[in-house]
Amino acid sequence: MSSEDIFKKIVSHAKEYGFIFPSSELYDGLGAVYDYGPNGVELKNNIKQYWWRSMTQMHENIVGVDSAIFMHPKIWKASGHVDAFNDPLIDNKDSKKRYRADVLIEDHIAKIEEKINKEIAKAKKRFGDSFNEEQFLATSERVKGYKQEMETIHQRFADLMNANDLAGLKSLIEELGIVCPISGTRNWTDVRQFNLMFATKMGSVSDDSDTIYLRPETAQGIFVNYLNVQKTNRMKIPFGIAQIGKAFRNEIVARQFIFRMREFEQMEMEFFCRPGTEMDWFNYWKEERMNWHLALGIPKEKYRYHDHEKLAHYANAATDIEFEFPFGFKELEGIHSRTDFDLKRHQEFSGKKIQYFDSEINESYTPYCVETSIGLDRTFLAVFSHAYKEETLSDGQTRTVLNLPKQLAPYKVSVLPLVNKDGLPEMARSIMNDLKFTMRTHYEEKDTIGKRYRRQDAIGTPYCITVDNDSLKDNSVTIRLRDTMQQERVAVDNIKTYIASH
Ligand code: GAP
């Protein structure tokens, strides 16, 4: 099955099992906006909690905020978003479709990378066990040619983006022979800049002064609260401020399901440190964040760093943690060393002094900042798409299972009376009522037990507890494990211990 087909199945599974619905579906949907259903909201909340706890509970020097989405418009001037938060867009004159010029070029580079991967796969097949990938990459003339081509395009592309050279971007698209996927033609308009912020009006008087923006990132809500938090919580540098919240971007190309949305959630942490120590903290957070991902139990081959060679004007180091989504490796999280850019700009635009007195060195300074910024919806997609499996069982039947990390699954257990009579529902409910205080517990009595197991597999419930007629006599239940489908008889008194250790 092609990765495109698998991705389609993942999207329809998410809808069919109450994880994600297109927003406003009754009215045929709204582009790149999605709603989370009953199972989706549980999974999403568990991801949030996993991030929030690891940031705040596990780091004594990180505290949280929940700042408003509406902020003073000057903030977005200071941050640079009003002037520079743009995407280069280009239209195809024949299909009338709009694209991001940078994405067209990135996709072209990704296609060359795909060719390299195909060469590797072919060689692996040819050489079998004796295949040495490193040696192959270093010696295959064809692969070396592809790599050189990628690097040349990449370098030119980065230079054009940095120089904001829109005419150059158009020329590059033409030179590379990039065609519109819909019309198949190269009939392109000029490249134009498009600001991604949504604007609205505050109050009843409609003039320019009351134009405000829906925040395009949560980070600025942290920077403008730096002084409040540092003072009220008596924070000592180095310290961090974490925030989870909605962000809004008027994305030109909204596709790939919840990967690129117009309304999404971010989990961001700004870590303030003494100038000169930022590279140590940058390396610390780079490793720490990767460990957070790996602690979910997803194989490390699914992640990679992508260090930025060309840096934004305010950054002195930047890397992305990329994840292998069904449509290839793409950014999941960004880690940036943002210097003192943001606090200095807010100092300048607000006219208020933003300084820290460091009693250890007897000096005042504007703190430097290392940012970790991860998309909640993208993490959802990473976890969900990796968990989705279609399995053929030993008896030839198939099942769809979500091997979600246990701590993230919408329900930890489902309690199922074998039949809906003979006192089994009563015993099952009593077990559920005991478990529900410590774990998210589901109860179901409709349908055959086989069908109920399949449904729990499909939503990723790690443990099913079945109460049968023997249960009434021996006060034991059958616990079925989602991943192996193994079943074991467990005394009711031992259910919690069993779940904790399996
Ligand atoms: N404060 C830094 C910042 O906002 P970013 O790279 O623009 O940096 C950070 O965004 C993360 O937010 C990304 O790595 C991605 O996971 C998520 N993200 C950004 N735009 C998104 C979108 N349109 N839809 C879903 N997630 C998005």
Side-chain angles (χ1 to χ4, degrees):
M1 210 186 309
S2 74
S3 48
E4 208 170 300
D5 290 338
I6 294 172
F7 189 46
K8 275 188 193 148
K9 287 194 163 204
I10 290 169
V11 175
S12 70
H13 189 85
K15 182 171 173 212
E16 189 181 344
Y17 285 92
F19 284 91
I20 298 173
F21 308 127
S23 164
S24 322
E25 201 187 3
L26 265 186
Y27 295 88
D28 299 329
L30 183 66
V33 187
Y34 291 90
D35 297 338
Y36 285 83
N39 292 321
V41 73
E42 296 291 342
L43 173 54
K44 193 179 179 193
N45 282 340
N46 290 342
I47 297 172
K48 274 192 211 182
Q49 214 174 67
Y50 175 58
W51 183 87
W52 188 256
R53 288 206 171 141
S54 84
M55 279 296 173
T56 60
Q57 197 167 323
M58 305 309 283
H59 294 95
E60 60 180 287
N61 57 350
I62 301 183
V63 290
V65 291
D66 182 12
S67 68
I69 288 170
F70 292 147
M71 291 161 68
H72 197 288
K74 261 196 186 173
I75 288 170
W76 305 111
K77 258 304 214 197
S79 67
H81 284 81
V82 171
D83 297 319
F85 194 51
N86 300 320
D87 273 346
L89 65 83
I90 189 165
D91 293 306
N92 182 270
K93 292 183 197 162
D94 298 319
S95 67
K96 310 270 182 278
K97 288 278 169 203
R98 179 159 291 176
Y99 299 92
R100 265 175 61 177
D102 55 332
V103 171
L104 286 179
I105 297 167
E106 274 167 7
D107 284 353
H108 183 85
I109 296 173
K111 276 188 195 144
I112 305 173
E113 195 174 10
E114 241 169 62
K115 286 186 194 166
I116 297 178
N117 291 337
K118 273 194 188 142
E119 289 295 325
I120 296 172
K122 264 199 290 181
K124 242 184 206 164
K125 224 179 185 177
R126 195 162 4 114
F127 294 113
D129 286 345
S130 61
F131 180 64
N132 179 332
E133 188 168 326
E134 223 170 277
Q135 193 185 352
F136 176 73
L137 290 176
T139 51
S140 160
E141 286 307 321
R142 191 170 287 176
V143 168
K144 283 201 289 187
Y146 286 143
K147 278 201 155 170
Q148 181 60 44
E149 190 185 348
M150 270 173 71
E151 271 161 33
T152 313
I153 300 172
H154 198 270
Q155 189 56 48
R156 250 187 88 191
F157 170 53
D159 290 345
L160 292 169
M161 288 294 282
N162 280 343
N164 207 6
D165 182 350
L166 302 184
L169 281 177
K170 183 182 179 186
S171 306
L172 184 58
I173 288 172
E174 286 171 341
E175 270 173 50
L176 296 174
I178 296 175
V179 296
C180 164
I182 309 288
S183 67
T185 71
R186 299 172 191 180
N187 196 6
W188 297 110
T189 61
D190 287 341
V191 178
R192 300 183 304 288
Q193 288 291 23
F194 176 78
N195 192 286
L196 298 184
M197 282 199 295
F198 284 100
T200 187
K201 297 273 178 190
M202 188 173 244
S204 54
V205 186
S206 240
D207 61 25
D208 268 359
S209 63
D210 56 12
T211 294
I212 57 165
Y213 300 98
L214 297 191
R215 67 180 177 201
E217 61 170 17
T218 62
Q220 296 304 322
I222 296 178
F223 291 124
V224 298
N225 274 302
Y226 164 83
L227 282 178
N228 284 337
V229 174
Q230 194 271 318
K231 287 195 177 126
T232 55
N233 277 56
R234 298 148 61 95
M235 304 305 290
K236 273 197 144 128
I237 270 182
F239 73 90
I241 306 178
Q243 167 154 243
I244 300 177
K246 290 264 182 171
F248 304 83
R249 296 182 188 179
N250 198 0
E251 299 283 0
I252 302 164
V253 185
R255 53 174 191 177
Q256 291 161 332
F257 194 35
I258 56 169
F259 181 80
R260 196 176 302 286
M261 302 156 90
R262 295 199 167 103
E263 174 180 341
F264 57 101
E265 257 178 285
Q266 289 185 316
M267 306 189 285
E268 302 203 288
M269 194 277 298
E270 309 297 330
F271 195 78
F272 300 99
C273 60
R274 190 183 286 168
T277 63
E278 73 275 11
M279 285 317 295
D280 291 341
W281 287 114
F282 175 76
N283 290 325
Y284 170 86
W285 282 110
K286 199 172 151 178
E287 201 182 321
E288 187 81 354
R289 292 304 304 144
M290 184 60 99
N291 289 339
W292 181 88
H293 289 282
L294 296 179
L296 285 172
I298 296 176
K300 68 174 188 302
E301 296 74 45
K302 299 289 285 184
Y303 298 91
R304 71 181 185 195
Y305 288 116
H306 171 231
D307 292 329
H308 295 204
E309 300 120 43
K310 298 273 169 181
L311 298 168
H313 58 284
Y314 53 77
N316 60 4
T319 195
D320 292 338
I321 293 178
E322 294 186 338
F323 182 78
E324 191 178 15
F325 290 97
F327 38 83
F329 271 100
K330 298 270 176 207
E331 176 187 341
L332 174 59
E333 171 158 12
I335 299 150
H336 289 235
S337 172
R338 300 181 66 115
T339 66
D340 55 0
F341 174 81
D342 300 273
L343 292 185
K344 277 234 168 102
R345 292 278 289 186
H346 288 305
Q347 180 166 272
E348 188 188 319
F349 278 69
S350 67
K352 313 256 164 53
K353 203 167 158 195
I354 306 181
Q355 291 257 300
Y356 176 79
F357 177 71
D358 193 330
S359 54
E360 276 180 33
I361 54 171
N362 215 18
E363 234 178 69
S364 284
Y365 52 76
T366 307
Y368 269 44
C369 178
V370 174
E371 171 185 80
T372 72
S373 174
I374 178 170
L376 174 54
D377 312 271
R378 272 191 203 176
T379 310
F380 187 111
L381 184 58
V383 166
F384 193 85
S385 60
H386 177 71
Y388 181 87
K389 309 263 165 15
E390 287 180 14
E391 291 178 353
T392 304
L393 308 177
S394 52
D395 61 2
Q397 287 197 33
T398 55
R399 72 160 181 162
T400 303
V401 59
L402 283 186
N403 298 123
L404 290 170
K406 286 177 190 157
Q407 69 271 41
L408 300 185
Y411 294 98
K412 189 85 177 252
V413 290
S414 180
V415 188
L416 313 165
L418 188 62
V419 288
N420 188 11
K421 56 180 183 182
D422 302 335
L424 302 193
E426 288 76 7
M427 182 173 179
R429 279 194 182 279
S430 139
I431 292 172
M432 174 187 71
N433 285 331
D434 178 41
L435 294 180
K436 73 182 180 191
F437 292 98
T438 45
M439 60 192 87
R440 194 79 173 88
T441 309
H442 172 269
Y443 175 87
E444 190 159 24
E445 48 190 38
K446 198 170 157 267
D447 278 332
T448 64
I449 193 71
K451 275 192 184 159
R452 281 181 277 166
Y453 282 158
R454 287 287 179 276
R455 189 169 160 76
Q456 293 311 309
D457 288 344
I459 64 168
T461 308
Y463 307 95
C464 282
I465 297 177
T466 307
V467 176
D468 56 27
N469 288 87
D470 287 341
S471 303
L472 298 172
K473 294 175 217 144
D474 63 6
N475 203 31
S476 293
V477 291
T478 300
I479 299 190
R480 174 188 178 270
L481 304 179
R482 175 195 69 194
D483 297 346
T484 58
M485 293 187 294
Q486 272 176 354
Q487 303 191 9
E488 232 177 290
R489 204 70 188 161
V490 177
V492 169
D493 290 344
N494 292 338
I495 292 176
K496 285 183 201 159
T497 331
Y498 181 89
I499 287 175
S501 60
H502 283 78

